[in-house]
Amino acid sequence: MKASFFFVATFCCSLAAAQDTLVLLPGFNSQPVNSYFRYFHQDQEISADSAWKLFQPGHQTAQQLDKINFGPVQGYYWLKLTLINQTQVSQELFLEIRQPHLYQIRFYRLQNNEPILRAETGIRYNFHSRPTPNRYFDFPISMAAGESVNVLFMIHHINSLTLPLHLLTPGSLHERNYSRNLAWGYWLGFLSFCGLFALLASLLLKKRVFLWYFLYISAGVLYGFTELGFAFQYIFPNQAGLDAPAIIHTSIYPLLFLIKFSQGLLATKENLPIVHKLLNVVFYFLLTMVLAGIALTETMFQYSYFILPAVNFAILIGMLSLAYSGIKSLFFNRIIATFYLLAYMALVSAAVFVMINYAFGWYQYQGPNPILIAYFFEAMLLSVALIILYRQTQREKTALLQKVTTQQKELYQQFITGVEKERSRIAGDLHDDIGSRLSYLKRLLSTSNTNKNEDAQQLDQIIEDVRKLAHDLAPPMAHVTGLLPLIEKLVAEIRALTKLDIKLQAHNFTCQLKPEAIQQVYRMIQESLNNIVKHSQATRVDIQFFNYETEIVITIDDNGVGFELVQEGLGLNQLKVRTASLGGYVEIQSRTGAGCHIMITIPIESIRI
């Protein structure tokens, strides 16, 4: 029964549209009423009485309202509607303008053919001071049974004007508010969840791409709050001068953070370095404009005729660069790039639709903001992309950890092999050299014609060789002489035995080291010099010690024959193991015929007393 009444009401309303009158019949609930209004536009403000006269028969100023979106406007719009209550009961209705950003609205009701101001409101009015506490503008209309009412609106706006006009009953208004707020509550909750997930991931994983995503989601939420009319009420209330800048700023913030997030997600620095630099230029230019808009609001508006085109051009370059980055990234990481492009296309399509609608009024769309809907789907797609990135990162970390573990095992095995090889060498020296010579000396002593002077020389030589062998094996006396004196003594001994020109320099090297650290560093220098003596055919070696605030650096350079790095032998591997045991690292540079450069870096905290 109620449905039949509604269809009858719709038919009667359509019949009366040409007469600028909307007739209410039993069963009326809600409906759009743009086509039932007449309107006209004035550049200058006029009185309500003058406006009412222009709606009277005989004046050609007013015309039928045949659209919802007007595009960019400036000035004063007057709208008039006649309502006739043909039901048997009084009606409590609301005329709703579903646009939260109108600057100024005056609502008049005709009494005795004179417009009486019933309400004045606009974006600068807090919710509680509006005719109905709502983010939209709702104007109550009470009508007795059979009563005819004329209403008049004055709307002042300086921007893209959208006027979705609806007539509703209180129940319908309550139901629509509830469903809208519930929908935006889900929207806000989902985006907040995505943002908090990204923030937690950034803290745990120490990856900035998750932080940029959190900031991007936060900027999107701020844009949504502003677009829905909540920001002016809850974030910066009672600051009327911020309304226009806030709409511009909050539409730029998401792009700023989207640029940085995209650079991290798509790895543009490694894969697309030129595009990465171009995106940085766009980012810092837009950031400068935003900061200047906050600090120098009046100046920026004064020169907006050339600042806004520059900003729009930068935004265009940024959007094209992001699209190009997403397409090229299909060759580097197809899965992540696919999710990114789907999310990007959803947002860009919605943004283009909204911009065309606001700029030209081509579409008579009056539903939810497509950009906010696109944000919802984009957040889902980008969250999936981040989860995939997280899994890829974890797989790469696991693979790297396994590789490092394998290398450590190999280095340790090589170190053990080296120790065993050194023991074998010592055993061979003792058996083949010292043992043979002692046997020879025994035979000399057993003969009657032995020469005591020759015997003494033989014993002295054997004693000296055993002493040298023991000296090489024994740990350095670190606690007695310190590192540099030990290195100087080692250099002097090798210089005397080999005639090798070794230059030792220490630059501000005053750090007091632990004995075990001195022993390890001593062995590093000893092994490096032994390798040079045995393999390099060098004539000159330079050793330098540097003492910085947080680390010590040791460099060893020779002018020998050099080698290819793929040919690193046991000695260099042992050098890396010893350095790693102190928390440091070794860099080796060499090539055939060009000598060798070794740089050992060790953090001071791990070796200082």
Side-chain angles (χ1 to χ4, degrees):
M1 189 68 178
K2 182 177 291 188
S4 64
F5 277 135
F6 174 76
F7 286 122
V8 171
T10 304
F11 173 76
C12 292
C13 290
S14 301
L15 187 63
Q19 302 175 6
D20 193 14
T21 301
L22 193 155
V23 179
L24 301 178
L25 295 177
F28 175 81
N29 189 30
S30 67
Q31 76 175 84
V33 292
N34 279 64
S35 60
Y36 298 97
F37 274 89
R38 285 198 299 152
Y39 83 103
F40 66 87
H41 168 250
Q42 292 283 333
D43 293 331
Q44 303 297 325
E45 185 176 6
I46 61 176
S47 66
D49 291 330
S50 300
W52 174 244
K53 292 178 182 177
L54 295 177
F55 282 108
Q56 302 306 308
H59 289 275
Q60 303 300 320
T61 305
Q63 56 184 318
Q64 204 71 29
L65 185 61
D66 57 355
K67 54 188 173 181
I68 297 171
N69 301 308
F70 291 77
V73 300
Q74 184 170 355
Y76 300 84
Y77 282 76
W78 289 89
L79 297 89
K80 178 255 182 182
L81 173 68
T82 299
L83 295 172
I84 300 176
N85 181 10
Q86 289 191 357
T87 67
Q88 301 300 315
V89 295
S90 61
Q91 296 284 344
E92 297 292 334
L93 304 173
F94 289 91
L95 256 175
E96 181 176 73
I97 305 177
R98 294 181 181 172
Q99 215 284 54
H101 300 293
L102 297 174
Y103 285 4
Q104 184 182 21
I105 308 172
R106 290 177 185 164
F107 173 62
Y108 299 87
R109 180 165 174 169
L110 271 294
Q111 291 183 358
N112 300 322
N113 210 34
E114 292 185 6
I116 305 299
L117 180 64
R118 289 297 183 88
E120 182 171 3
T121 185
I123 196 173
R124 295 174 172 84
Y125 290 78
N126 289 331
F127 289 174
H128 68 271
S129 62
R130 295 182 180 181
T132 302
N134 192 4
R135 67 185 182 91
Y136 289 146
F137 301 104
D138 297 292
F139 302 92
I141 300 176
S142 299
M143 301 179 64
E147 183 180 8
S148 175
V149 173
N150 289 302
V151 295
L152 192 65
F153 283 103
M154 188 281 292
I155 296 174
H156 175 47
H157 199 64
I158 311 175
N159 209 322
S160 298
L161 178 60
T162 301
L163 288 177
L165 299 162
H166 291 257
L167 187 67
L168 310 93
T169 62
S172 178
L173 177 65
H174 175 75
E175 181 182 349
R176 288 178 181 271
N177 284 341
Y178 178 81
S179 59
R180 284 194 296 254
N181 292 337
L182 183 63
W184 294 124
Y186 281 125
W187 179 86
L188 177 61
F190 178 74
L191 263 67
S192 299
F193 172 79
C194 293
L196 292 176
F197 159 77
L199 179 61
L200 181 62
S202 70
L203 295 175
L204 294 178
L205 302 178
K206 308 298 182 184
K207 292 182 72 69
R208 281 186 290 182
V209 63
F210 291 95
L211 178 61
W212 288 121
Y213 183 64
F214 165 74
L215 294 174
Y216 173 61
I217 290 294
S218 300
V221 170
L222 180 60
Y223 169 78
F225 259 70
T226 305
E227 179 63 26
L228 295 173
F230 292 120
F232 308 118
Q233 304 295 323
Y234 301 118
I235 299 179
F236 37 83
N238 303 319
Q239 299 185 42
L242 290 180
D243 49 7
I247 296 174
I248 298 174
H249 286 196
T250 56
S251 63
I252 296 177
Y253 295 156
L255 177 60
L256 286 174
F257 297 125
L258 178 61
I259 288 175
K260 303 308 292 184
F261 165 70
S262 302
Q263 288 176 321
L265 181 68
L266 303 177
T268 56
K269 186 176 183 180
E270 296 80 11
N271 300 327
L272 303 165
I274 296 178
V275 179
H276 181 83
K277 293 178 180 178
L278 180 60
L279 287 172
N280 279 339
V281 171
V282 173
F283 173 82
Y284 288 112
F285 173 77
L286 293 178
L287 181 62
T288 301
M289 293 295 100
V290 167
L291 295 177
I294 295 174
L296 305 169
T297 304
E298 293 184 3
T299 303
M300 295 293 286
F301 269 100
Q302 183 179 356
Y303 296 100
S304 61
Y305 57 90
F306 71 88
I307 292 177
L308 285 179
V311 170
N312 290 333
F313 180 74
I315 291 174
L316 177 62
I317 295 298
M319 299 298 285
L320 292 176
S321 299
L322 291 177
Y324 177 80
S325 300
I327 295 171
K328 293 293 291 184
S329 295
L330 290 170
F331 298 98
F332 308 115
N333 196 330
R334 181 179 299 273
I335 298 177
I336 288 181
T338 300
F339 277 98
Y340 175 83
L341 284 174
L342 290 174
Y344 184 79
M345 289 171 58
L347 183 63
V348 170
S349 300
V352 170
F353 177 87
V354 170
M355 285 190 291
I356 292 176
N357 188 37
Y358 285 172
F360 304 104
W362 287 357
Y363 311 112
Q364 301 309 307
Y365 175 78
Q366 54 178 321
N369 189 323
I371 294 180
L372 301 185
I373 298 175
Y375 258 120
F376 184 86
F377 291 103
E378 185 188 42
M380 287 195 296
L381 294 170
L382 292 181
S383 295
V384 173
L386 282 177
I387 292 172
I388 295 173
L389 177 64
Y390 169 76
R391 295 184 61 183
Q392 290 179 350
T393 302
Q394 291 302 106
R395 285 197 295 266
E396 291 173 359
K397 284 185 176 180
T398 302
L400 180 61
L401 182 60
Q402 291 176 347
K403 183 178 180 181
V404 170
T405 303
T406 302
Q407 289 178 343
Q408 287 178 341
K409 290 180 179 179
E410 291 176 353
L411 289 174
Y412 180 73
Q413 185 61 42
Q414 291 173 351
F415 181 73
I416 297 300
T417 303
V419 171
E420 295 299 325
K421 185 177 180 180
E422 185 68 12
R423 287 180 177 178
S424 298
R425 183 187 69 80
I426 295 169
D429 288 346
L430 289 174
H431 181 272
D432 299 335
D433 185 18
I434 305 299
S436 298
R437 289 160 64 184
L438 286 173
S439 297
Y440 172 71
L441 182 60
K442 179 182 178 181
R443 289 195 301 272
L444 287 177
L445 292 174
S446 64
T447 62
S448 59
N449 59 350
T450 180
N451 186 328
K452 293 184 178 180
N453 289 334
E454 183 180 349
D455 295 343
Q457 290 177 358
Q458 288 285 345
L459 283 172
D460 288 341
Q461 184 61 45
I462 292 172
I463 292 171
E464 177 62 25
D465 290 345
V466 172
R467 186 197 65 79
K468 183 178 183 302
L469 183 61
H471 179 269
D472 289 342
L473 293 174
M477 301 297 288
H479 61 284
V480 176
T481 58
L483 177 61
L484 286 180
L486 285 172
I487 301 298
E488 290 173 354
K489 184 179 179 182
L490 174 65
V491 167
E493 292 174 352
I494 295 177
R495 188 186 291 128
L497 291 173
T498 63
K499 307 302 181 181
L500 188 63
D501 180 15
I502 305 176
K503 185 177 181 181
L504 175 64
Q505 293 179 299
H507 303 276
N508 191 33
F509 195 84
T510 59
C511 183
Q512 297 297 317
L513 307 182
K514 299 176 182 178
E516 56 271 21
I518 292 179
Q519 179 176 333
Q520 289 285 24
V521 174
Y522 178 86
R523 290 302 188 201
M524 295 177 199
I525 305 299
Q526 185 184 48
E527 291 171 3
S528 299
L529 289 176
N530 286 339
N531 284 335
I532 292 172
V533 171
K534 291 179 181 179
H535 307 295
S536 73
Q537 303 178 26
T539 60
R540 187 181 71 254
V541 180
D542 292 323
I543 304 174
Q544 299 188 72
F545 285 77
F546 300 90
N547 190 175
Y548 298 113
E549 292 183 1
T550 59
E551 60 190 15
I552 65 169
V553 177
I554 305 168
T555 61
I556 305 171
D557 297 276
D558 69 68
N559 66 343
V561 297
F563 58 91
E564 298 298 328
L565 293 180
V566 293
Q567 301 175 357
E568 289 185 16
L570 189 61
L572 292 178
N573 285 326
Q574 290 183 8
L575 178 64
K576 290 182 176 180
V577 171
R578 290 187 184 277
T579 308
S581 69
L582 298 177
Y585 59 92
V586 178
E587 295 182 18
I588 302 173
Q589 297 178 0
S590 180
R591 66 177 188 273
T592 303
C596 179
H597 168 77
I598 299 174
M599 185 172 71
I600 302 169
T601 304
I602 305 172
I604 288 179
E605 289 300 323
S606 65
I607 61 176
R608 182 168 53 191
I609 296 177

